[in-house]
Amino acid sequence: KAGVTQTPRYLIKTRGQQVTLSCSPISGHRSVSWYQQTPGQGLQFLFEYFSETQRNKGNFPGRFSGRQFSNSRSEMNVSTLELGDSALYLCASSPWQGGTDTQYFGPGTRLTVL
Amino acid sequence: QQQVKQSPQSLIVQKGGISIINCAYENTAFDYFPWYQQFPGKGPALLIAIRPDVSEKKEGRFTISFNKSAKQFSLHIMDSQPGDSATYFCAAKIGNEKLTFGTGTRLTIIP
């Protein structure tokens, strides 16, 4: 099976702009989670989607939003970019078969805000 | 509030030695404890995981030791190799809730 894919891999934006990142989960996986990784804060949970519904949400401002499509693909959007949004954004998918599911991560999108 | 504390922040081990990374958690409701390995430019990859009903799990050179009463778990890498040089993250979760990660340990294996 192909792994989790994320596009684009690298992105450079300026303050005030908005950005959309895309994630395609492993085939058959129904849950998609997003994480922000920075050297200072480590891996921070953004949100999780299952069956096109947001199931969990982390402590991020409303500028961060996401959605999931019927084919389980997911996008996250960051509006009004700030310098502090520069980070590696990771997507993880899991089958969500009940119980505790293993999460499989994609390679990430490196976002740089200038 | 950080719920999973990981130490050390960085670790240098000689080739062939044992690498040990420790994590402590606060929430006794956690029921799944994975370890992830991350190489530069890559996403974290699941290495090994344990549930609290088991005190130890071994997969090849990698072993998780789990101490439920102390609320601690650790990763042991036996016969450490230069290819093991990476950043390691412990994590914990409750059921299908989000993963809570430790702060990471940068492991360097020197020849």
Side-chain angles (χ1 to χ4, degrees):
Chain A
K1 277 186 182 178
V4 178
T5 58
Q6 292 186 245
T7 55
R9 291 293 312 279
Y10 302 92
L11 208 49
I12 299 176
K13 292 286 188 179
T14 56
R15 278 184 302 173
Q17 287 187 309
Q18 76 164 17
V19 66
T20 299
L21 312 181
S22 181
C23 170
S24 292
I26 292 171
S27 177
H29 285 196
R30 302 164 66 191
S31 170
V32 173
S33 298
W34 288 89
Y35 294 82
Q36 181 195 65
Q37 185 175 25
T38 59
Q41 298 297 315
L43 280 149
Q44 300 288 318
F45 172 77
L46 280 155
F47 28 65
E48 181 200 0
Y49 286 87
F50 173 75
S51 290
E52 303 176 65
T53 301
Q54 188 179 88
R55 244 174 39 92
N56 288 307
K57 189 177 190 305
N59 296 323
F60 279 81
R63 299 185 297 107
F64 292 81
S65 63
R67 60 177 176 168
Q68 187 181 33
F69 301 95
S70 58
N71 62 357
S72 295
R73 192 177 69 85
S74 177
E75 289 181 347
M76 69 163 280
N77 183 276
V78 187
S79 62
T80 320
L81 284 166
E82 300 177 0
L83 295 178
D85 297 333
S86 294
L88 180 67
Y89 290 88
L90 293 160
C91 166
S93 76
S94 65
W96 213 85
Q97 295 170 333
T100 303
D101 277 326
T102 297
Q103 292 192 354
Y104 299 88
F105 284 83
T109 294
R110 172 74 63 185
L111 172 64
T112 301
V113 182
L114 302 176
Chain B
Q1 178 189 9
Q2 183 187 357
Q3 295 188 36
V4 180
K5 294 184 179 180
Q6 183 171 348
S7 63
Q9 191 172 15
S10 62
L11 181 62
I12 299 174
V13 174
Q14 219 155 16
K15 180 183 174 183
I18 302 174
S19 304
I20 302 174
I21 304 171
N22 300 298
C23 282
Y25 61 97
E26 299 168 5
N27 191 341
T28 55
F30 285 139
D31 60 4
Y32 180 68
F33 301 89
W35 284 90
Y36 283 85
Q37 178 190 56
Q38 186 176 28
F39 293 105
K42 305 284 187 182
L46 179 68
L47 196 59
I48 187 172
I50 198 168
R51 298 182 190 275
D53 55 345
V54 180
S55 61
E56 185 176 280
K57 183 174 181 179
K58 184 177 180 180
E59 289 184 3
R61 295 184 295 109
F62 300 92
T63 299
I64 299 180
S65 295
F66 187 84
N67 187 328
K68 189 173 181 178
S69 60
K71 293 188 286 186
Q72 295 176 346
F73 58 110
S74 59
L75 176 69
H76 296 235
I77 305 175
M78 312 300 286
D79 186 26
S80 299
Q81 299 297 311
D84 297 330
S85 296
T87 299
Y88 292 81
F89 293 93
C90 63
K93 68 187 296 197
I94 305 167
N96 276 316
E97 300 303 311
K98 66 180 179 73
L99 277 169
T100 298
F101 284 90
T103 50
T105 296
R106 179 171 289 184
L107 174 65
T108 303
I109 307 300
I110 56 175

